[in-house]
Amino acid sequence: MRTPTHTLHASQSHSGWDRSREAVLSVPPGTTIELDVADASGGQLGPDSVAEALTDMDMGRVNPTTGPVRVEGAMPGDALQVRIHELRPSGWGWTGLIPGFGLLAGDFPEPTLTHWHYQPSGSEPAAFGDVARVPVRPFPGTLGVAPAEPGPHSVIPPRRVGGNLDTRDLVAGTTLWLPVEVEGALFSLGDTHAAQGDGEVCGTAIESPMTAVVSLDLEPGAAPAFPVFETVAAPRDVEVRDGVIATTGIGPDLMAGARDAVRAMIELLGLRYRLDPPNAYMLASVAADLRISEIVDAPNWVVTCAVPKAIFAP
Amino acid sequence: MRTPTHTLHASQSHSGWDRSREAVLSVPPGTTIELDVADASGGQLGPDSVAEALTDMDMGRVNPTTGPVRVEGAMPGDALQVRIHELRPSGWGWTGLIPGFGLLAGDFPEPTLTHWHYQPSGSEPAAFGDVARVPVRPFPGTLGVAPAEPGPHSVIPPRRVGGNLDTRDLVAGTTLWLPVEVEGALFSLGDTHAAQGDGEVCGTAIESPMTAVVSLDLEPGAAPAFPVFETVAAPRDVEVRDGVIATTGIGPDLMAGARDAVRAMIELLGLRYRLDPPNAYMLASVAADLRISEIVDAPNWVVTCAVPKAIFAP
């Protein structure tokens, strides 16, 4: 574990990417920094919030990222190496169905909100009522650098330069390489999740304020075309223990296949664990993995939605 | 482990699905059967074959499936429950780049063939030259029932009724539920793989002749919309041990994202392990997992291609 030499607070944040934004910190390559991060609502939701707050949310304030951090000497074409040393979650988080957002937005028009309270150490899984216990595996949903293209860019879509990757593997111990597109790189981090399944199907994970410790280094001229990462341990230990239950979607369109697989999982969770559809959808978002199981047997592909059985109460 | 009461030989096979095909065996629900399966070339390739044999292959004979087996009393709307008890691979297999086939067919016009020799017990991983050792995790790539629609249907695309699912999770111990669409179900199994990554990106896995033991049972009126399965142990133990290296593809089209992620993995395997592109592509097909890491942050999705580091020689 590296000891950070700089700290950024959650107030030192912005929403969206812009190469003209002034850095809040400038550091030489090899520096370790600590970043406090607000939850994805930007503090609009708290432990006492109710579902209606999702409808009233100011979407211009969502997904704030702490930064940007200028890395001295970073030039377009370099790789920014981000080492994720530590994530210290707050112990509270939320998962919500936001009207108009998520893979099955048309199926779930009503705002729905679940609160999670968990051990920040990760020593205990997070309880989803008395139905399931989801392992705490904190990671930053958003980490990226400024795109070369001038002007403001929404924080929501991930990009070649990273950003809102929402990739559950990026836990502590992971190294991520991002392509630098502007002088100084301009790195920011936000959208911290206490747990998420591949796909983040309902659009929200366990959204938790968190402190992240990362170090930033440069590999000159080594920019990858898209982000690349290396992990040191798997995020799928619960799956190994007891196996999975999985649904599939099969057809010529991966998006339709993903929707079919998730719809089938929502139905299955209802039958097996008496979860109503909004709760099944939220649980899938934080614990189910979407995989492309087959993508070569034209014209049909197989998308799988797999839930580790170890999360369910015996 | 159930003891089979019937045996089908690899000669009792067919290519493609057709509800009018006569069953080679008729059994009551709850029967356990043993099926010998030819490799995906239908015996056109053997341990002495060279790459040119891929170009000359009669595609009308590929992917033979042993069967069909009629399950007495099966009616449209029922679920056929398939329990996979045992897979006994032969110890030899092949992986090939077949011109015009695979996720990156345009990038790899030349036929290329790799032979694998491994311990049939699975006690040792299968060696890929001196670069990598791939755990043997045998499963049937194809298992399905006849579709309701009359006439012949290609064996290549997977369907709502299963078929060429190429889903690596379906190892021994797994239970699979398929929707019955015709009287008697007409179950067949083939395309046995000694190992495969999610996606089977080059279009072939470790293609191995194998014997499968499955039992077939019925759940009246319980047909799922698409296949559903449940596993008892994870196929990803090597990932848990040492983590993964992963590439990404990011953009508004999942297929393009998958191609970008696989292209990046081929480049990375070349840089790290000095694999030429055809060998990197084949190794990715048998050992890399394609995942949809994010599918809600419109308009861009994240597809990840992850290779477990434990497969590489130290």
Side-chain angles (χ1 to χ4, degrees):
Chain A
M1 189 68 55
R2 302 256 213 111
T3 305
T5 54
H6 300 75
T7 297
L8 293 178
H9 294 281
S11 57
Q12 294 172 289
S13 69
H14 57 97
S15 182
W17 304 97
D18 193 328
R19 63 175 296 163
S20 68
R21 192 182 310 278
E22 198 168 345
V24 295
L25 177 68
S26 184
V27 296
T31 302
T32 301
I33 57 177
E34 180 179 64
L35 304 98
D36 284 340
V37 181
D39 79 288
S41 76
Q44 297 181 78
L45 298 181
D48 298 324
S49 295
V50 295
E52 287 63 35
L54 293 169
T55 314
D56 301 334
M57 216 154 48
D58 175 357
M59 295 306 279
R61 288 170 58 198
V62 304
N63 224 338
T65 50
T66 304
V69 179
R70 181 173 172 276
V71 180
E72 294 161 11
M75 295 298 292
D78 293 348
L80 180 70
Q81 185 202 70
V82 184
R83 287 196 185 154
I84 305 172
H85 295 295
E86 190 181 358
L87 293 155
R88 296 196 300 269
S90 64
W92 164 76
W94 61 273
T95 302
L97 304 186
I98 302 171
F101 189 61
L103 184 63
L104 304 180
D107 297 2
F108 292 92
E110 294 302 318
T112 310
L113 185 64
T114 284
H115 291 279
W116 303 76
H117 298 278
Y118 56 85
Q119 289 293 330
S121 68
S123 60
E124 293 284 325
F128 188 72
D130 54 6
V131 171
R133 292 154 54 88
V134 177
V136 174
R137 297 198 67 88
F139 73 96
T142 303
L143 62 183
V145 294
E149 196 183 342
H153 303 278
S154 166
V155 70
I156 297 299
R159 303 169 188 280
R160 291 163 46 99
V161 287
N164 199 18
L165 294 169
D166 284 331
T167 298
R168 63 174 303 213
D169 308 81
L170 305 179
V171 295
T174 302
T175 302
L176 173 71
W177 289 267
L178 298 171
V180 174
E181 291 197 355
V182 304
E183 191 275 325
L186 297 179
F187 173 82
S188 302
L189 183 152
D191 192 29
T192 39
H193 295 156
Q196 184 206 292
D198 283 328
E200 199 189 15
V201 292
C202 88
T204 51
I206 300 182
E207 307 290 339
S208 283
M210 208 172 293
T211 300
V213 178
V214 303
S215 59
L216 303 175
D217 213 337
L218 290 177
E219 296 185 8
F226 291 90
V228 170
F229 61 85
E230 177 165 350
T231 70
V232 289
R236 290 176 173 73
D237 44 6
V238 293
E239 174 188 338
V240 171
R241 206 161 76 223
D242 290 336
V244 301
I245 48 173
T247 53
T248 57
I250 300 172
D253 181 74
L254 288 165
M255 177 60 78
R259 288 200 173 101
D260 284 331
V262 173
R263 283 198 181 101
M265 181 55 72
I266 289 168
E267 193 183 328
L268 186 63
L269 293 177
L271 287 169
R272 281 210 184 190
Y273 302 105
R274 300 187 187 183
L275 285 170
D276 64 13
N279 277 298
Y281 186 31
M282 289 191 288
L283 184 60
S285 196
V286 303
D289 295 328
L290 269 185
R291 310 179 194 147
I292 300 175
S293 292
E294 178 278 302
I295 193 169
V296 292
D297 300 324
N300 289 349
W301 328 125
V302 178
V303 177
T304 301
C305 179
V307 173
K309 283 184 284 180
I311 71 168
F312 297 106
Chain B
M1 188 68 55
R2 302 258 212 112
T3 305
T5 53
H6 300 75
T7 297
L8 293 179
H9 294 281
S11 57
Q12 295 173 288
S13 70
H14 57 96
S15 182
W17 304 97
D18 193 327
R19 64 175 296 165
S20 70
R21 192 182 311 278
E22 199 167 344
V24 296
L25 177 68
S26 183
V27 296
T31 302
T32 300
I33 57 176
E34 180 179 64
L35 304 98
D36 285 340
V37 179
D39 79 290
S41 76
Q44 296 181 79
L45 298 180
D48 299 324
S49 295
V50 294
E52 287 64 36
L54 293 169
T55 314
D56 301 335
M57 215 155 49
D58 175 358
M59 296 305 280
R61 287 171 58 198
V62 303
N63 223 339
T65 50
T66 303
V69 179
R70 182 174 172 276
V71 180
E72 294 161 12
M75 295 299 292
D78 293 348
L80 180 69
Q81 184 203 68
V82 184
R83 288 199 184 153
I84 305 172
H85 295 296
E86 190 181 359
L87 293 155
R88 296 195 300 270
S90 65
W92 164 76
W94 61 274
T95 302
L97 303 186
I98 302 170
F101 190 60
L103 184 63
L104 304 180
D107 298 1
F108 292 91
E110 294 301 318
T112 310
L113 186 63
T114 283
H115 291 279
W116 304 76
H117 298 279
Y118 56 86
Q119 289 293 332
S121 69
S123 60
E124 293 283 324
F128 189 71
D130 54 7
V131 171
R133 291 154 55 89
V134 176
V136 174
R137 296 199 69 88
F139 72 96
T142 304
L143 62 183
V145 295
E149 197 183 341
H153 302 276
S154 166
V155 70
I156 297 299
R159 303 168 188 281
R160 292 164 44 100
V161 287
N164 199 17
L165 294 169
D166 284 332
T167 298
R168 64 175 303 216
D169 308 80
L170 305 178
V171 296
T174 302
T175 302
L176 174 72
W177 289 267
L178 298 171
V180 174
E181 291 197 356
V182 304
E183 191 275 322
L186 298 179
F187 173 82
S188 303
L189 182 152
D191 192 29
T192 39
H193 295 158
Q196 185 205 292
D198 284 328
E200 198 189 18
V201 292
C202 88
T204 51
I206 300 183
E207 307 290 339
S208 283
M210 208 172 291
T211 300
V213 177
V214 303
S215 59
L216 303 175
D217 213 338
L218 290 177
E219 295 185 7
F226 291 91
V228 170
F229 62 84
E230 177 166 349
T231 70
V232 288
R236 290 174 174 74
D237 45 6
V238 293
E239 174 188 338
V240 172
R241 206 161 76 224
D242 290 335
V244 301
I245 48 173
T247 53
T248 57
I250 300 173
D253 181 74
L254 289 164
M255 177 59 78
R259 288 200 173 101
D260 284 331
V262 173
R263 282 198 181 100
M265 181 54 72
I266 289 168
E267 194 182 330
L268 185 64
L269 293 177
L271 287 169
R272 282 212 183 190
Y273 303 104
R274 300 186 185 185
L275 285 170
D276 65 13
N279 277 299
Y281 186 30
M282 288 191 289
L283 184 60
S285 196
V286 303
D289 295 330
L290 269 186
R291 307 180 197 147
I292 300 174
S293 292
E294 177 278 302
I295 194 168
V296 293
D297 300 324
N300 289 349
W301 328 124
V302 178
V303 178
T304 301
C305 179
V307 174
K309 284 185 283 180
I311 70 168
F312 296 106

